[in-house]
Amino acid sequence: MNRLELCDISKKYKNKPALDGVSLTLDTGIYGLLGPNGAGKSTLMNIITGSLRPGGGTVKWNGEDVRTLGAAYRSLLGYAPQRQGLYDAFSGRRFLAYMAALKGIPKKEMGGEIDRVLSYVNMGAAADRAIGTYSGGMRQRILIAQAILGDPKLIVLDEPTAGLDPKERVRIRRRISALAGDKTILLSTHVVSDIESIAKEIVLIRAGRIVDHGSVEELCRRYGVSGLEDVYMQLFGEEETDGPADTL
Ligand code: ADP
């Protein structure tokens, strides 16, 4: 069973609310967290993954507070943060070995597991090159590879397509889509096309609050429009986005 519950999560930075009473339940499948820059997406993901303590509220996995679950929660969680200090001097493979050790993957399973995630993101050929020589798309793929080490049930990906060209966006989107199955995947973006075709549910967030959520079809019906882009424009149209036009 997969059940991630966010119960009335709040967070302030110096008295300025970044999250204000966020409640949501996720089961298996891909969830797209969609909202303009500054909406609170990264803050929420950092709280879900335990990288940041909420000011208030609880995160529960299958009914238990994740703070109580501790290491058991961390071992079922894979996280690709947005601005990761990637180790430029490390090879992709060495970085993955380091992350696998942090995740407590046993030594005898490590080699096979690293090969599995490398081939999943199609990075086998570049695995022994220094990360410093990677393109933006290759860096994102290595970040996704480390997030799926150990086959976690819950995968959190913060803007996994940030900085990628449209072709790479499509490739990453397909890889993420193929991951789903029995997993819970939460993926943030401010680019509608990243999630429109792959997410079972879209969670729309602005100014630290969930404005609405539902499947693309439900949302389109509710707002009387034919696509998620129109929902986004109705809700957030006046806000600035810096996403590249994605016409694929
Ligand atoms: P998003 O990921 O949707 O772009 P963030 O979660 O990064 O949004 O930010 C939500 C709000 O919190 C923004 O107003 C942002 O400026 C603020 N914020 C985020 N991180 C910090 C921080 N470390 N210190 C102060 N303010 C922050």
Side-chain angles (χ1 to χ4, degrees):
M1 183 176 85
N2 289 11
R3 188 178 164 88
L4 180 74
E5 274 172 279
L6 312 178
C7 314
D8 202 19
I9 304 288
S10 63
K11 175 73 189 174
K12 283 183 183 163
Y13 294 109
K14 293 183 195 133
N15 284 330
K16 190 174 164 272
L19 291 175
D20 186 11
V22 169
S23 295
L24 188 70
T25 301
L26 289 76
D27 50 46
T28 52
I30 300 179
Y31 290 78
L33 187 60
L34 178 66
N37 286 323
K41 301 183 294 297
S42 293
T43 302
L44 187 59
M45 291 187 142
N46 279 317
I47 288 172
I48 291 170
T49 57
S51 316
L52 188 67
R53 276 180 80 95
T58 327
V59 179
K60 291 181 187 169
W61 178 260
N62 291 342
E64 271 198 73
D65 189 330
V66 299
R67 276 176 289 197
T68 318
L69 286 172
Y73 179 63
R74 286 192 294 278
S75 73
L76 60 81
L77 171 74
Y79 178 33
Q82 200 179 355
R83 283 170 292 269
Q84 169 120 354
L86 275 177
Y87 301 76
D88 280 0
F90 279 28
S91 68
R93 191 185 302 277
R94 188 162 165 229
F95 169 65
L96 292 174
Y98 173 70
M99 296 306 289
L102 287 182
K103 286 193 178 187
I105 293 171
K107 263 226 162 85
K108 60 177 181 356
E109 291 167 25
M110 214 181 259
E113 181 59 6
I114 289 170
D115 286 338
R116 182 187 74 86
V117 300
L118 279 169
S119 89
Y120 192 81
V121 297
N122 200 17
M123 282 290 286
D128 296 308
R129 270 170 50 190
I131 289 175
T133 69
Y134 286 1
S135 68
M138 292 164 91
R139 282 171 177 259
Q140 289 295 4
R141 280 188 276 157
I142 278 289
L143 275 178
I144 293 172
Q146 65 76 31
I148 62 174
L149 278 168
D151 203 23
K153 286 189 176 153
L154 172 63
I155 300 176
V156 177
L157 306 169
D158 196 351
E159 300 253 5
T161 58
L164 302 188
D165 65 40
K167 258 193 199 156
E168 281 173 328
R169 270 176 192 273
V170 172
R171 242 183 260 141
I172 297 264
R173 198 186 299 158
R174 288 205 183 118
R175 294 281 74 188
I176 294 168
S177 179
L179 269 180
D182 62 346
K183 298 181 193 310
T184 300
I185 301 178
L186 178 64
L187 138 70
S188 74
T189 186
H190 58 274
V191 180
V192 167
S193 58
D194 277 352
I195 49 172
E196 179 154 33
S197 61
I198 64 167
K200 113 171 170 182
E201 189 164 323
I202 309 289
V203 179
L204 295 146
I205 182 170
R206 159 206 248 165
R209 289 172 186 242
I210 293 180
V211 186
D212 208 340
H213 63 100
S215 68
V216 172
E217 296 74 46
E218 282 166 354
L219 291 168
C220 287
R221 216 176 307 128
R222 205 169 295 154
Y223 293 86
V225 294
S226 58
L228 188 60
E229 187 74 50
D230 296 329
V231 174
Y232 190 94
M233 287 310 284
Q234 274 198 26
L235 289 171
F236 310 132
E238 76 281 15
E239 319 238 352
E240 288 208 14
T241 62
D242 61 1
D246 185 348
T247 50
L248 286 183

